[in-house]
Structure formats: C-alpha cells, structure tokens
Amino acid sequence: MCMDNARYAKPVLAGIQKVLQRGTAQVLEEDAHGIFLRDTVSGAWMAAADSTETGIRYLTAQESSGYSLLCICGNRELTDYAANRYGLTSRLDCYQAVYPAAEPPDFPQNLTIQPADMGDLDWITARYDLLTPGEIAEIIRRRRLFVGQKDGSPVGFVGEHLEGSMGLLQVLPEYRGCGYGTELETFLLRRTLGEGFQPFCQVETGNSVSLKLQRKLGLEISREHVYWLSR
C-alpha cells in the first residue's frame, strides 16, 4: 500500500480518516510511510504502513502500552506478526465499504427512527451479541444507536461503533424482507453526511448479504482488507 498526500482518502483507510477528522486520534507515529494512532473513544490502536517493516517499527515503539484492540489496514503479514507477538487471539477479516457521494441514496422512508435510550439496552443486547452490554450502553449514551419502529412496534436498530464505523444493523426476523435494513442504513448514511463525515462500514469478508446491501446503497468496497485483533 503506497502512502502519499492523499493517503487517508483510500477506502481501506476510512477508519483512520474518521478518528482524525473527529479529533479523537492520539497520533503516536506518522511519517511518509504510514501512521499509527490510538482512538481515545474506542481505545482501538490503528496502524497503516507501506511495508511490514515500517508497521513493526510503529508497533514495537509503543508496545509497552499493551495492545488489547488493534486495527491494521491492508497488511495481512503485519496482522499475523501482531497477533503472534501480542497474544491477540480473536481476529476479524473485513472489507471496508465507503460511501463516496455527497448526497445520500434516495429510498422510501416508512419507519419512525429515534435514538435508543437505556430502557432499550436489554432488548438490544438480547438481539445483538457482537459487542458487550457495556459497549452498547456507551453507544447509547453517545446517542449513536437508533431504533426503527413501524406503527409503534420496533422492527430493528442501527448504530455507529465507538471508532466511528456504521454497524449494529439488526432487523427482527418477522420484519425481514420488507426493506427495513436498507432504510435503517440509509437513515444513518444521511445522518453521518449531515455531520460532515464520510459514511463507512466494515463487512466480514464472508458476509455476502451485507456486501450486497452495501453495493445496493452505492458504497465502494475496498480491495484491501481491514483486520481487527483483540484478546
């Protein structure tokens, strides 16, 4: 991955771009060859480098801090090194999907969508187990989780992960096939654009259903992968 003055415009680097833009990045290493930072909201460490050797240099310079959540952009060899060196046994291999347009897609709006509150926490955690209840509670506190209703009944939810990516998309089984997942994500796309940020999400490489949805909504899928490592 060649780093240049437009380095953060690449789809695979959208997560780094987001935390830099919103002012939550503690930049630890940055030069012509890449960047290494820590997001102060999610606690995630994020690395992008034009070679494995550069990435190793970044990681080892800061390793006394300890790594429990690490995101590596576009470099599988560096990911393997970090997983082995720091004992990070949980791994997600994702594409990054980025919305490139200035205007949101035009889809029908049939749902009433409102921010979730703490009264929704148990209902949401019972239906979404990819984050801890504490992480979901923090997203609710930050007003980044939204519940969609149809005729007063909840049909699903969508939100923004602590590091800034769109996600947490869930539609109840009895409401699937009605276009509500598309509507929920479109709502979040509009909201993100309205705040002045570029919408993006991360999709596990084997999730063909989600990849199809992202393409339907006009998102550009990165050729390079984003790797998440944790304990």
Side-chain angles (χ1 to χ4, degrees):
M1 178 171 58
C2 179
M3 309 298 286
D4 56 28
N5 290 336
R7 69 182 99 180
Y8 307 129
K10 295 187 67 175
V12 75
L13 301 176
I16 285 176
Q17 183 184 55
K18 178 66 176 283
V19 298
L20 287 168
Q21 186 180 357
R22 74 182 185 183
T24 63
Q26 179 187 9
V27 178
L28 304 166
E29 306 281 344
E30 186 175 23
D31 53 33
H33 302 288
I35 187 170
F36 185 47
L37 60 83
R38 184 175 183 270
D39 175 36
T40 57
V41 174
S42 65
W45 306 78
M46 298 181 175
D50 62 6
S51 70
T52 300
E53 291 74 19
T54 296
I56 291 173
R57 173 167 58 84
Y58 292 164
L59 290 172
T60 54
Q62 303 293 331
E63 65 185 12
S64 62
S65 301
Y67 303 130
S68 58
L69 181 61
L70 181 60
C71 176
I72 295 177
C73 301
N75 190 320
R76 182 172 179 173
E77 185 178 34
L78 181 60
T79 302
D80 292 341
Y81 168 88
N84 292 329
R85 183 173 180 89
Y86 305 117
L88 301 172
T89 56
S90 179
R91 177 169 174 163
L92 285 178
D93 183 349
C94 303
Y95 294 110
Q96 196 133 263
V98 176
Y99 189 72
E103 297 295 327
D106 185 19
F107 281 97
Q109 300 180 48
N110 299 304
L111 300 176
T112 300
I113 303 176
Q114 299 290 339
D117 60 35
M118 287 304 171
D120 299 311
L121 179 60
D122 289 344
W123 179 79
I124 291 169
T125 55
R127 292 161 177 80
Y128 192 86
D129 61 2
L130 298 179
L131 297 176
T132 67
E135 289 170 323
I136 293 174
E138 180 61 22
I139 294 169
I140 291 174
R141 280 192 288 269
R142 296 176 64 84
R143 296 180 67 80
R144 298 289 173 178
L145 189 55
F146 304 90
V147 176
Q149 294 189 346
K150 180 67 173 177
D151 299 326
S153 298
V155 305
F157 49 89
V158 70
E160 182 182 289
H161 289 282
L162 292 173
E163 95 294 341
S165 65
M166 300 186 301
L168 298 103
L169 179 60
Q170 192 70 240
V171 176
L172 303 188
E174 60 267 33
Y175 293 105
R176 292 173 186 168
C178 301
Y180 295 148
T182 300
E183 184 172 350
L184 286 164
E185 184 167 336
T186 301
F187 164 85
L188 197 54
L189 278 167
R190 289 194 184 100
R191 191 178 189 278
T192 304
L193 287 169
E195 293 178 331
F197 297 110
Q198 182 177 49
F200 74 100
C201 64
Q202 291 156 358
V203 183
E204 288 190 64
T205 53
N207 191 340
S208 59
V209 173
S210 182
L211 286 170
K212 182 178 179 180
L213 173 60
Q214 307 319 315
R215 292 188 174 102
K216 175 183 176 181
L217 288 169
L219 277 79
E220 177 184 349
I221 310 299
S222 66
R223 289 186 298 175
E224 297 162 301
H225 294 190
V226 173
Y227 304 96
W228 281 94
L229 297 173
S230 60
R231 297 192 186 281

